Amino acid sequence: MKLMTSLAILTALAALAPGSDRVRAADEQGVALAIIYDTSGSMREAVPDNTGGKSPKFVIANRALAAIAKQIQAFATNTATGAPRRIDAGLWVFEKNGARQAVKFGPFDEAALEDWARDFSTPSGSTPLGNALNAAGRTVLKSPLPHKHVLVITDGINTIGPQPAAVMPRLKQQAEQNQTSLSVHFVAFDVDAKVFDPVKQLGATVVGASDEKQLSSQLEFIVQRKILLEEEEPKPNHVK
């Protein structure tokens, strides 16, 4: 009897462990992720890199994208049961006034993301963030997987088309109609994160990064803590 009681207590404690419910949900149901990568002309500008020198922002962002691809792959394959976690993902880049899928949305393909990151070298054009968010968000909303996320890596504000803050409410409304939810995350690279306050007020996660070290750290935080484990933002304390 004592043994059975002890086992019951251990099981209950495991169920209450931080993140355990979310990890179990990801194991059983899966994550749908759209990554929007800023390919505008300003990504040619140089910022501090990990060597102590400077490199173009797209070169640094390419390395960061390859790194998060490895992190997602590790999360998908390193499981207690040996069965891979279900993750669907795709990569969107800017094209004229909108966006296109550089890596088609579907079962997570680490090699495809790493290949694209290795080969991309021609940033150009404007920054249609709103239209890109709309395209990526609507694709993710069609996924049957319940944990839906859009990750935006950008070094500038929207320069053409609707603002992201005008697009987000429509995506949220569509998610509610589909009886699901959609989380949006912005990493502001070499641009003041305050310019994204409008989407932050709508519930988006917004973080800033000014160099390669910060970009890698912030992306790791967003991918691992906000997307794969879905940790919630702490609620503010209200003083009476």
Side-chain angles (χ1 to χ4, degrees):
M1 180 64 71
K2 289 183 178 180
L3 177 60
M4 293 179 64
T5 303
S6 298
L7 289 173
I9 292 173
L10 289 173
T11 302
L13 289 174
L16 293 173
S20 63
D21 289 342
R22 296 188 180 92
V23 171
R24 184 162 56 251
D27 288 347
E28 297 173 354
Q29 301 173 10
V31 176
L33 170 63
I35 302 172
I36 298 174
Y37 182 109
D38 189 330
T39 52
S40 64
S42 60
M43 289 289 281
R44 292 181 178 273
E45 299 168 2
V47 296
D49 59 24
N50 283 338
T51 69
K54 288 190 173 183
S55 296
K57 284 183 278 189
F58 79 88
V59 172
I60 291 173
N62 286 353
R63 290 197 286 258
L65 179 62
I68 63 173
K70 292 183 183 299
Q71 293 167 24
I72 296 171
Q73 179 67 18
F75 179 82
T77 57
N78 295 343
T79 65
T81 64
R85 296 180 173 102
R86 174 77 183 275
I87 299 176
D88 285 356
L91 177 70
W92 276 253
V93 298
F94 299 153
E95 186 171 73
K96 298 181 179 178
N97 297 345
R100 65 176 177 84
Q101 293 187 44
V103 174
K104 189 174 179 59
F105 183 79
F108 179 71
D109 188 339
E110 178 191 6
L113 278 175
E114 291 181 344
D115 288 348
W116 186 91
R118 182 192 62 241
D119 296 338
F120 175 66
S121 61
T122 55
S124 63
S126 55
T127 311
L129 281 174
N131 284 334
L133 176 59
N134 184 62
R138 290 192 176 279
T139 298
V140 168
L141 284 173
K142 294 177 183 177
S143 170
L145 303 182
H147 304 277
K148 298 176 172 61
H149 297 267
V150 177
L151 169 61
V152 183
I153 306 169
T154 180
D155 77 329
I157 60 175
N158 191 82
T159 60
I160 190 167
Q163 296 292 329
V167 172
M168 272 192 64
R170 297 198 294 268
L171 292 175
K172 295 285 189 179
Q173 182 179 32
Q174 183 62 55
E176 290 176 1
Q177 292 175 356
N178 294 353
Q179 297 183 327
T180 187
S181 62
L182 175 69
S183 299
V184 180
H185 316 274
F186 281 79
V187 179
F189 183 30
D190 192 42
V191 60
D192 190 346
K194 290 183 178 179
V195 303
F196 297 108
D197 277 352
V199 292
K200 186 175 182 179
Q201 292 171 3
L202 294 171
T205 304
V206 178
V207 297
S210 60
D211 56 27
E212 183 165 13
K213 181 178 179 181
Q214 290 182 4
L215 180 64
S216 298
S217 175
Q218 296 287 37
L219 278 173
E220 181 177 347
F221 166 72
I222 293 295
V223 169
Q224 294 191 7
R225 305 291 289 275
K226 297 297 181 180
I227 295 175
L228 299 180
L229 297 183
E230 290 192 342
E231 289 188 358
E232 296 179 356
E233 294 287 352
K235 296 180 179 179
N237 294 323
H238 297 286
V239 179
K240 294 183 179 180

